[in-house]
Amino acid sequence: MAEFETPEALVKAARRVREEGYRAVDAFAPFEIEELGDVLHARNVGLPLIVLGGGVTGLVTGFALQYWTTVIDYPLDIGGRPLASWPAFVPVSFELTILFASFAALLGMLALNHLPMPYHPVFNVPRFGRASQDRFFLLIEARDRFFRHATTRKLLEELGAYEVSDVEP
Amino acid sequence: MAQEINNPTRAPVLAPGYTYRSVTDKISSIVLRGTPRGWYVGFAISFLLAMLLLFAMTYLLIAGIGVWGVNIPVGWGFAITNFVWWIGIGHAGTLISAILLLLRQPWRTSINRFAEAMTLFAVANAALFPILHLGRPYFAYWLFPYPDVMGVWPQFRSPLIWDLFAITTYGLVSLLFWYMGLVPDLATLRDRATKTPVKMFYGLLAMGWRGSVYHWRRYHKSYFLIAALATPLVVSVHSIVSFDFAVSIVPGWHTTIFPPYFVAGAIFSGFAMVLTLTIPLRAVYHLEDFVTMRHLNVMAKVMLASGLIVAYGYMMEFFTSWYSGNTFEQFMTLNRAFGPYAVLFWLMMLCNVVIPQALWLRRVRANVILLFVISILINVGMWVERLVIVVTSLSRDFLPSSWGMYAPTLWDWAVFIGTFGLFFALLFLFIRLLPMISMAEMRELVQETGAGEAH
């Protein structure tokens, strides 16, 4: 794992490491750097679908709840007015759509990110605490097929890393 | 500084010279260093008032609703006034966080966290009132659609049920959005804390966030999606609150202008409350570099704009009541302006329509003290507005034989003042325990303004 002082250095290093063929690469930063995500091919396919699924579930739940309770289970005939008065069902259906979709967005994000995860090997690096403050880290995992301890370390040092350290599992 | 006062429009959203580290240091030190003495004083006063609320609520629940001034014909009184007022205040938070995020306004960054917290606590206060004002509050759970032994269900065609769903959804989504924004900052606090219990506390809340680039991307996507969902939600909540009035046939309530006019009023009072709270806070914690004159200026402009929409709403109410040719509507308008509650009406016009016009002047917007005073007056005005709407319409409706006057009792006031205690006690705890400005977003702002290089 290599520590960098600026986001630009990290992006440069990440690009170079990808060009060298490394694929089991991760980077850590105190805020989102969009360019970095593009360089490391961070994709985002699942999440919007999960949110859509949540929204549709909420809509169906809300409408079905109201329809079933007022039309099927306990119909009240008031002056011959229609039982399935759908315009009156709009507000609750709408609110439940938003509610379910928002929960899907949060829980989906957590699930796809495998959070909560209290322990992770990167936390063993003493200076890693600064990844949530002002430093930028690049990690090449040992399972990468191009990984050779000495050469990989040398590459990271050449890229202008402030410090290169090994991550204990 | 002199330049800044002369022209708040040009002031930066972040004072120059800040780095990733100094931004983080400054915000997190408020949480991680010792407690200032003023905090204890403020918290103690708020806590005492919150106890007053508890006391007044307990007495209400034991003795019954008769301890309040409400009766037929005025069955709503203070409770619904306070409910609408607090929920209106609760609109600024999500508006600032969600809508301004989608519009990519850089000035949202340093005030969104605080405004969201304010929203949550205001909604918590608001949610108390509909329950307390029920004749039999212990049956409040009947509002929920659960299969009970009586075999009946809630009336889904009633705006009161819509309200329940709208407010529950709003509270939950605001909480979720707020917590999600907090996660990277909780990780920062975990990494900066020196004492083990403190580290554990923030560590548990941060859920092992480590700032991986893959995580950030999903995180932002999710954050944007929730913002996009929360935007129509904000508009829907106060619209539904206005349906409580507009769906009835009481003169002065039964109008189609209510939803947009209530939403504008909510934004108006919400921004006023944000200003009322931010101005002392930035002075006490020396956050003038983060919450600059630019922020105050922009918020004042939003207040002016939404205030004009509210003024338009008043005008349309007058116009419609005259143009409708409906005797009851016409009488209602005259009764509001010249009847027994005329003082409240003119106070509302003064605070909500006349005084905000001062915000047209740049010199007023650049004057922190004046802004503070105006924001408080708007808060007062908006509370009076809800009282005028609730009380004048109910006290004199169709038949003079069913007219009646309303006056609040001491217990009405005790509950109302007590909610301030709860609100401020929660705010004090929030300021002490959690970062009141988003550190992750401030670092992003540092990068965008190009100051990050200067280590």
Side-chain angles (χ1 to χ4, degrees), chain A residues 18 38 65 72 78 89 124 131 133 142:
Chain A
R18 284 284 301 189
D38 298 337
L65 170 75
I72 297 168
I78 298 163
F89 300 160
N124 290 334
Q133 298 172 46

Side-chain angles (χ1 to χ4, degrees), chain A residues 32 73 83 85 95 113 132, chain B residues 153 157 191 213 218 220 236:
Chain A
E32 194 195 12
D73 192 52
L83 288 171
S85 49
E95 298 299 334
N113 283 347
S132 67
Chain B
W153 295 96
R157 298 182 189 96
D191 294 337
V213 61
R218 286 193 197 103
H220 262 180
S236 83

Side-chain angles (χ1 to χ4, degrees), chain A residues 17-116:
Chain A
V17 163
R18 284 284 301 189
E19 280 163 8
E20 294 284 329
Y22 292 100
R23 287 297 174 267
V25 180
D26 201 348
F28 304 91
F31 51 86
E32 194 195 12
I33 305 164
E34 282 188 33
E35 211 189 337
L36 189 62
D38 298 337
V39 169
L40 292 181
H41 299 270
R43 287 175 313 124
N44 219 341
V45 193
L47 193 63
L49 287 175
I50 293 176
V51 178
L52 179 69
V56 171
T57 313
L59 182 67
V60 172
T61 310
F63 197 85
L65 170 75
Q66 297 176 81
Y67 188 88
W68 186 75
T69 53
T70 46
V71 179
I72 297 168
D73 192 52
Y74 201 94
L76 277 173
D77 188 340
I78 298 163
R81 288 184 183 82
L83 288 171
S85 49
W86 67 267
F89 300 160
V90 169
V92 171
S93 309
F94 172 79
E95 298 299 334
L96 287 183
T97 309
I98 303 279
L99 184 69
F100 279 49
S102 303
F103 270 90
L106 176 73
L107 298 177
M109 184 276 285
L110 290 178
L112 291 174
N113 283 347
H114 303 292
L115 294 173

Side-chain angles (χ1 to χ4, degrees), chain B residues 163-186:
Chain B
D163 237 11
L164 170 83
F165 278 85
I167 288 159
T168 315
T169 303
Y170 189 57
L172 286 172
V173 171
S174 304
L175 180 68
L176 179 152
F177 197 52
W178 182 66
Y179 176 64
M180 190 162 168
L182 270 168
V183 166
D185 279 8
L186 291 166

Side-chain angles (χ1 to χ4, degrees), chain B residues 419-441:
Chain B
T419 50
F420 282 98
L422 182 61
F423 181 69
F424 282 105
L426 289 168
L427 272 182
F428 273 110
L429 284 177
F430 159 71
I431 290 168
R432 185 66 195 84
L433 293 175
L434 295 167
M436 67 178 124
I437 296 176
S438 167
M439 293 185 275
E441 287 182 28

Side-chain angles (χ1 to χ4, degrees), chain B residues 76 80 242-258 317 329 332 336 386 388-394:
Chain B
W76 275 9
I80 299 303
S242 83
F243 289 160
D244 290 344
F245 297 88
V247 171
S248 76
I249 53 160
V250 177
W253 289 4
H254 189 60
T255 61
T256 47
I257 190 114
F258 259 38
E317 276 194 312
E329 289 286 337
M332 184 281 304
R336 262 187 200 173
R386 274 69 177 251
V388 166
I389 293 175
V390 169
V391 175
T392 53
S393 282
L394 283 177

